[in-house]
Amino acid sequence: MRREEVALLAGVSADYYARLEQGRRITPSPAVVEAVGRALGLDDAGRAHLRDLIGTTAAPVRRRARGVQRVRPGLYQLLDALDGEPALVLGRRTDVLAANRMAKALFTDFERLPPRHRNYARWMFLDDAARSLFVDWDLQARAAVESLRLDAGRDPDDQATAALIADLRDHSREFAHWWEQHRVHQRTHGSKRLRHPLVGELTVEYETLSLPGDPDMTLFVYTAEAGSSSKRALDLLASWTLSGHSRNPEHISPA
């Protein structure tokens, strides 16, 4: 869609819209931002990202200082209570803040990684094991890029986020390519197809839960359909983790 067409649909002049595109010092009204979002055909995540980038004349929200994120004890207890289902907590810039034993067994034990590497996007792009684990790696990796861009738009001055993005752009051609497309995505639910080294292929569905009082943390819970081969694979993985095996086991069939 041409610039003039977007401006017409949004009800603003082409010159005004051009200045918005160029990042000029313009603070549009919320109604104008919403109109531009509709004209561009953006979904809810895209419109939220547009508001973050452009800003509005509404009173700005004062941000608290970006300190180290810490998971409260009750949330750790909740993760442990979800013992049969993989669950993890992601924070800002997709940092992995906590994971239960099933999430560690299904994905990787992030706690064993250096603190700087405990990040979902970094693991997805820079760990060969992640590339082997996801059958649909391209789809999952692209979603991670789009989620990270959405998060970066909320606080463009966050140095840790900028450093992560720069590092990923330097070390992953795929990340650099998808980052330049400027797409955003908010992960609320979906599925992941995995090829696990212990229990073979399985598909898990995930739901995300926002945490009241901790707006920068999200709980991800992964499940499989009852009676399915994927559920049997998860149950087998749970059994294996409880057994405390320390050897390098061969592939276990969930059939």
Side-chain angles (χ1 to χ4, degrees):
M1 186 179 296
R2 295 187 307 169
R3 176 182 296 166
E4 293 78 7
E5 294 172 322
V6 176
L8 179 63
L9 291 173
V12 298
S13 70
D15 178 66
Y16 184 85
Y17 180 71
R19 284 182 287 160
L20 282 177
E21 275 193 340
Q22 294 163 4
R24 301 282 186 89
R25 291 185 176 274
I26 302 173
T27 307
S29 69
V32 168
V33 175
E34 289 301 312
V36 171
R38 287 195 300 272
L40 292 172
L42 301 180
D43 59 12
D44 289 343
R47 293 183 188 184
H49 187 58
L50 184 65
R51 290 193 294 271
D52 289 334
L53 294 179
I54 297 179
T56 67
T57 54
V61 177
R62 294 188 62 185
R63 291 186 176 274
R64 295 177 297 175
R66 291 280 189 165
V68 176
Q69 290 185 283
R70 301 190 186 282
V71 176
R72 57 182 182 262
L75 190 49
Y76 280 116
Q77 295 173 19
L78 176 59
L79 290 176
D80 290 340
L82 296 169
D83 190 56
E85 315 296 344
L88 51 81
V89 177
L90 295 189
R92 297 189 293 266
R93 76 193 69 90
T94 74
D95 282 348
V96 180
L97 303 179
N100 65 6
R101 68 176 181 91
M102 281 295 292
K104 296 174 186 177
L106 185 62
F107 300 117
T108 192
D109 190 347
F110 288 96
E111 291 181 3
R112 291 178 176 265
L113 301 178
R116 180 171 173 268
H117 292 179
R118 296 172 192 171
N119 178 275
Y120 184 83
R122 180 186 293 278
W123 170 69
M124 177 71 72
F125 280 93
L126 302 186
D127 193 320
D128 290 339
R131 290 177 178 265
S132 300
L133 178 64
F134 292 97
V135 175
D136 53 352
W137 182 87
D138 285 1
L139 179 64
Q140 300 298 333
R142 182 164 185 157
V145 175
E146 295 169 2
S147 295
L148 182 59
R149 179 171 279 283
L150 182 63
D151 189 68
R154 297 189 184 105
D155 190 359
D157 297 324
D158 183 61
Q159 295 182 357
T161 302
L164 172 66
I165 293 168
D167 198 23
L168 290 175
R169 293 182 71 176
D170 287 344
H171 292 91
S172 172
R173 294 170 63 184
E174 295 102 331
F175 181 91
H177 173 68
W178 288 325
W179 185 260
E180 290 304 318
Q181 294 182 356
H182 294 268
R183 294 178 57 175
V184 295
H185 172 68
Q186 186 171 27
R187 289 176 291 184
T188 57
H189 65 281
S191 62
K192 296 182 185 292
R193 298 170 55 212
L194 309 174
R195 188 182 295 109
H196 197 276
L198 296 180
V199 297
E201 292 198 8
L202 70 158
T203 298
V204 292
E205 307 293 328
Y206 70 87
E207 294 287 339
T208 64
L209 303 173
S210 299
L211 303 175
D214 291 304
D216 292 331
M217 293 186 189
T218 304
L219 173 64
F220 287 74
V221 181
Y222 301 84
T223 61
E225 183 181 359
S228 66
S229 60
S230 295
K231 177 58 176 174
R232 292 193 293 273
L234 273 185
D235 290 343
L236 186 57
L237 186 61
S239 176
W240 182 85
T241 59
L242 281 176
S243 69
H245 287 299
S246 59
R247 61 186 175 88
N248 294 323
E250 296 179 355
H251 173 84
I252 305 172
S253 173

